[in-house]
Amino acid sequence: MLSSKQFIVSHAPFWHNGTAVHYRNYNWLLALAPAVAAGLTYFGVPALGVICLAVSSAILWEGLITKLSGRQVNVGDGNAALVGLIFGLLLPATAPWWLVLSGTLIAILIGQQVFGGIGGNPFNPAALSWAIIFLSWKTFLDFDSMLANYSFNFTPYHPLVALKAFGPQAVAQIPLLDLFLGKQVGGIGTTCGLALVTGGIWLIARGIVRWEIPVSFLAGVLVSSLIFYVAAPAKFAGPGFHILAGYTLFGAFFLAPEDSSSPVNFVPMLIYGATGGIMTILIRNIGAYPDGVIFAVLVINLINPLIDKIRPQRVN
Amino acid sequence: MTSKKHRTVAYAVAVHLLLVAIVCYAAFPVTQPEKPIRLVYWTNAGKVLFNHELHSSDTGFGLSCLDCHHHPPDDDQALMACSQCHPQKVKDGVTPKACLDCHDADEIEGTELPNKSDAFHGQCTGCHEQFGKGPPSGSDNCSKCHVM
């Protein structure tokens, strides 16, 4: 046997800021607090139910699974809670309980534990779970129908669905400030740009997330949507809309930079983020789905081991 | 803090959140509002989103309830689902059960009753054409209502 290598793991530089895993996760949880607050304000008690169920079930699933598989039970590190919270924030406020429970089970089991738990997952667990749920029970992630019983004082249809189905004229009237302030149909914690940017910048300032990934992700969205827009403004929406509508900001700050599925070197981080942004726009503008963020994140997770090899080479 | 303490705290948090979640789901089940806000129809030609509130409120299009809820004419009893009277498929000689609440079977025999999708298409596009606003009939306009 010449080589029995099965996994190639990125080597130095590892990046250590001298703190423990739980410190990082608790900071992530805190950074999501503004998004949680916004979600509770917009959607009320049903959103509280979804969030509480997502967080608690993720913790309990992880405890159960690690216990059954005889591994060390690490639920205290906050990782399961974080995965659960991120998954919950992606859902419509009226998500049924069984959907939440299945989603967190998939995120913890398939997203993380089968790969050996925290740090071993090649994909963002919450995004992977969302994608599996989406392919299985699409209508339950259809915000227009799930939120049909909410009376909104703003354009009451999902901006990206409207864009895809009715063209850019249909969304041209929506003020960008409305989108930024969360006046859009969407997930519990994904609609309020203000809350997401606040939490994201805070994470960066604390040194928990490196700025390169979110910034290059958003730059990728901006540049690619601008190219489409300039080429055919009657067919495509502008960059401001794409950055503020749907999952973009949530993806840039809270999905793409997930610790174990994203790169750590400078240039790879830029490539990783920018690719995610560009994929998002390609899926939105020429792909089949209204919002491309989740699938774009999974794609960059997939190529992460490859691009993370781009690093200073030793000269022989 | 030791990791064991962390674990105890995590489980305690999980159990409390679970209780809150159970209360939220049990005490506030998703209910249909008395008057629909938006209605979604999943059809084999894509979903249709009908903004009931916008059509019927004074701040919206200001239509009268009985413009659409047309039978019995000018009667609040008409405020029911169209599908109660307009079945998915019209079968000859079968009267929808709802009719018999108010009519004897022989009284309404032979009434021409459009099926559900004809009733919707007829009323929605008919009114839009009358107003010159909103998606009218014609094959260019399907995608103004249907999200494919």
Side-chain angles (χ1 to χ4, degrees), chain A residues 86-98:
Chain A
I86 291 181
F87 177 76
L89 291 176
L90 291 169
L91 295 178
T94 52
W97 58 270
W98 54 265

Side-chain angles (χ1 to χ4, degrees), chain A residues 68-199:
Chain A
L68 287 182
S69 59
R71 264 189 239 139
Q72 198 184 345
V73 181
N74 278 332
V75 296
D77 65 17
N79 177 66
L82 178 61
V83 170
L85 180 60
I86 291 181
F87 177 76
L89 291 176
L90 291 169
L91 295 178
T94 52
W97 58 270
W98 54 265
L99 188 91
V100 181
L101 289 184
S102 327
T104 52
L105 176 61
I106 294 171
I108 296 295
L109 181 64
I110 301 178
Q112 213 154 38
Q113 289 301 324
V114 296
F115 298 107
I118 181 172
N121 49 296
F123 295 105
N124 182 312
L128 183 69
S129 174
W130 189 98
I132 292 173
I133 296 279
F134 178 77
L135 297 176
S136 322
W137 295 294
K138 198 172 168 198
T139 51
F140 288 96
L141 292 178
D142 184 288
F143 294 110
D144 287 326
S145 81
M146 292 304 285
L147 302 178
N149 292 337
Y150 277 90
S151 177
F152 295 124
N153 60 357
F154 50 82
T155 317
Y157 35 74
H158 192 282
L160 292 167
V161 174
L163 173 66
K164 184 130 238 160
F166 308 126
Q169 314 78 262
V171 296
Q173 315 300 326
I174 304 177
L176 293 185
L177 187 64
D178 270 19
L179 296 178
F180 186 65
L181 295 178
K183 295 187 173 185
Q184 58 175 315
V185 171
I188 295 171
T190 63
T191 59
C192 182
L194 180 62
L196 296 171
V197 172
T198 309

Side-chain angles (χ1 to χ4, degrees), chain A residues 270-282:
Chain A
L270 295 185
I271 298 176
Y272 173 90
T275 309
I278 295 167
M279 282 301 302
T280 297
I281 295 301
L282 289 180

Side-chain angles (χ1 to χ4, degrees), chain A residues 256-267:
Chain A
E258 196 259 340
D259 279 338
S260 103
S261 54
S262 66
V264 290
N265 288 298
F266 180 68
V267 173

Side-chain angles (χ1 to χ4, degrees), chain B residues 27-51:
Chain B
F28 299 88
V30 180
T31 46
Q32 290 285 329
E34 211 155 279
K35 209 172 80 189
I37 294 173
R38 289 181 300 284
L39 292 158
V40 182
Y41 298 95
W42 294 95
T43 76
N44 43 20
K47 74 172 177 189
V48 178
L49 193 63
F50 170 54
N51 196 331

Side-chain angles (χ1 to χ4, degrees), chain A residues 48 55 66 87 95 126 131 142 157 175 187 191 215 218 246 252 267 289 315:
Chain A
L48 182 66
V55 174
T66 44
F87 177 76
D142 184 288
Y157 35 74
T191 59
V215 169
L218 294 176
V267 173
Y289 301 115
V315 183

